[in-house]
Amino acid sequence: MNEQAHEITDAAPTSLAHLIGQKSVVDQVKVALDAAHEDEKKFDHALLVGPPGSGKTQTAKVIAAMMKSDFHEVLGQAITSPADLNAVLLGATDKAIIFIDEAHELDRGFQTALYLALDQRKVFLQGNRSGRAPQSIPLNDFTLLLASTDEFQILAPLRDRMRLHLRFDFYGVDDLVELVRQRSQGLNWILDEKVLAPIAQRSKGNPRLALRLLQSCRRVSRAEGARKITMTHLKKACALEEIDELGLGPVEQQYLQILAEGASRLNVIASRLGLPTRTVAEVSEPFLIRVGLVMKDDQGKRNLTAEGRNHLSKSSAKGV
């Protein structure tokens, strides 16, 4: 690895052996890869489902690398017309991999066109006003990988055509420690072993956040002219980004402080935070509820748990 590598992505894994965590997914992909190679066929169509930052895109790239296939990546929301969808499908060669991220953002009409294209191995071009019948163009035998955080926003007929359902989950601290160690070694970044666990603990079970925090620590160390990342650099990086020991940012910390005053409804919390209710419900709340700092009662009010009060108390004592 080049000693001048500065970016986390410069050492991204390219094989299954280098993927950390997600054992069930890795096991499924390994079997599918072995079968595809034995039969000299394409990789099976697959649905990759899980929370943001859990490794879906990276796994798709590893599959393409191990299949030695062309890789075409597109966001679901970027497909806004039939021409956009047809261009993606017609641009794929045999055994190429089309990866549609945020597939639940695809218009339902395009989802229907997509599963029909898979069934018939062709796309249909709309006829003109003269009454001419639609023309069809054959497609190459590509692999479709769909990634989504909400599989049930994808039409059932399209989901059912995905032969593999790969389910990603949040990472444990041990896996995140290994991930940070592996990436820092791949980049030739020197870091104190004591930094690994604290980075993992502040990452909310999310590898993307762990690598982002690692990058922030290195930025601080280089700004100070240091070659080794230490706890001092981690603490300064967290202070700059206002991240506490659980990885909570300013909005999440303020959310907890609002609930410390008493139970409250989502719309009230969102109003006090100055954010849309959907943003609070989908971005700020999930981790707080998952780790037991916040709970919802039968009336939909949010309550601070004993763990939440304890965390606020410790954070206040440390001046976070």
Side-chain angles (χ1 to χ4, degrees):
M1 176 61 61
N2 188 335
E3 289 186 4
Q4 298 305 310
H6 302 305
E7 298 297 330
I8 287 292
T9 53
D10 291 339
T14 56
S15 74
L16 278 185
H18 294 140
L19 285 180
I20 304 295
Q22 306 295 355
K23 184 179 185 303
S24 175
V25 169
V26 170
D27 288 346
Q28 282 183 274
V29 170
K30 183 178 186 306
V31 169
L33 284 169
D34 289 345
H37 288 138
E38 283 292 324
D39 292 338
E40 297 183 350
K41 67 179 186 67
K42 68 179 185 182
F43 191 85
D44 284 332
H45 301 311
L47 175 63
L48 294 75
V49 179
S54 55
K56 299 185 294 295
T57 300
Q58 190 59 63
T59 300
K61 290 179 178 179
V62 166
I63 290 170
M66 297 193 73
M67 287 295 297
K68 298 181 179 177
S69 300
D70 293 337
F71 186 72
H72 307 273
E73 180 178 1
V74 63
L75 286 172
Q77 54 265 48
I79 298 175
T80 60
S81 70
D84 291 338
L85 181 60
N86 290 342
V88 171
L89 300 179
L90 292 169
T93 56
D94 275 336
K95 295 186 180 180
I97 288 178
I98 296 176
F99 175 63
I100 302 181
D101 200 4
E102 304 293 343
H104 56 276
E105 297 285 353
L106 269 174
D107 178 88
R108 295 173 76 86
F110 297 151
Q111 291 188 39
T112 299
L114 190 53
Y115 74 70
L116 290 176
L118 293 180
D119 283 350
Q120 301 180 32
R121 287 272 300 281
K122 60 181 69 171
V123 294
F124 294 90
L125 305 182
Q126 294 180 350
N128 56 31
R129 293 181 179 178
S130 65
R132 184 179 178 182
Q135 291 182 307
S136 64
I137 303 176
L139 295 171
N140 288 311
D141 194 17
F142 60 83
T143 292
L144 179 65
L145 302 182
L146 302 177
S148 177
T149 57
D150 186 355
E151 63 184 298
F152 298 110
Q153 290 299 312
I154 298 175
L155 293 176
L158 181 55
R159 293 201 313 269
D160 293 344
R161 283 159 175 79
M162 300 298 102
R163 297 176 181 176
L164 284 171
H165 283 207
L166 306 175
R167 300 191 177 281
F168 293 72
D169 203 350
F170 294 102
Y171 279 54
V173 170
D174 290 345
D175 283 338
L176 289 172
V177 164
E178 274 309 304
L179 177 70
V180 172
R181 178 185 285 114
Q182 178 200 67
R183 194 60 63 92
S184 60
Q185 289 175 345
L187 290 161
N188 284 327
W189 291 358
I190 304 170
L191 77 166
D192 190 328
E193 281 283 317
K194 295 177 181 178
V195 174
L196 294 171
I199 288 178
Q201 290 158 359
R202 288 164 168 80
S203 301
K204 304 179 182 176
N206 188 316
R208 182 183 296 162
L209 295 182
L211 296 177
R212 178 176 174 272
L213 185 51
L214 172 62
Q215 182 92 62
S216 297
C217 292
R218 187 189 187 261
R219 187 182 305 117
V220 171
S221 73
R222 295 306 297 141
E224 296 180 356
R227 292 186 58 83
K228 185 176 183 178
I229 299 169
T230 67
M231 281 296 298
T232 300
H233 299 130
L234 171 61
K235 290 177 180 178
K236 185 169 182 178
C238 289
L240 287 170
E241 299 187 22
E242 299 181 79
I243 296 173
D244 70 15
E245 290 187 349
L246 282 182
L248 306 186
V251 171
E252 293 155 317
Q253 293 169 35
Q254 188 179 350
Y255 181 113
L256 294 182
Q257 289 162 2
I258 291 171
L259 288 191
E261 301 170 11
S264 187
R265 294 190 179 279
L266 175 61
N267 62 328
V268 175
I269 298 169
S271 178
R272 291 187 61 179
L273 291 173
L275 294 171
T277 55
R278 181 176 177 179
T279 299
V280 176
E282 296 181 3
V283 179
S284 304
E285 278 191 343
F287 179 72
L288 299 175
I289 293 173
R290 179 161 60 87
V291 297
L293 301 182
V294 171
M295 64 178 294
K296 293 188 283 188
D297 64 21
D298 294 339
Q299 285 74 46
K301 285 188 175 182
R302 277 61 174 171
N303 294 271
L304 198 61
T305 65
E307 290 86 350
R309 292 187 183 281
N310 183 49
H311 179 71
L312 266 184
S313 177
K314 288 193 300 183
S315 296
S316 298
K318 294 180 179 180
V320 177

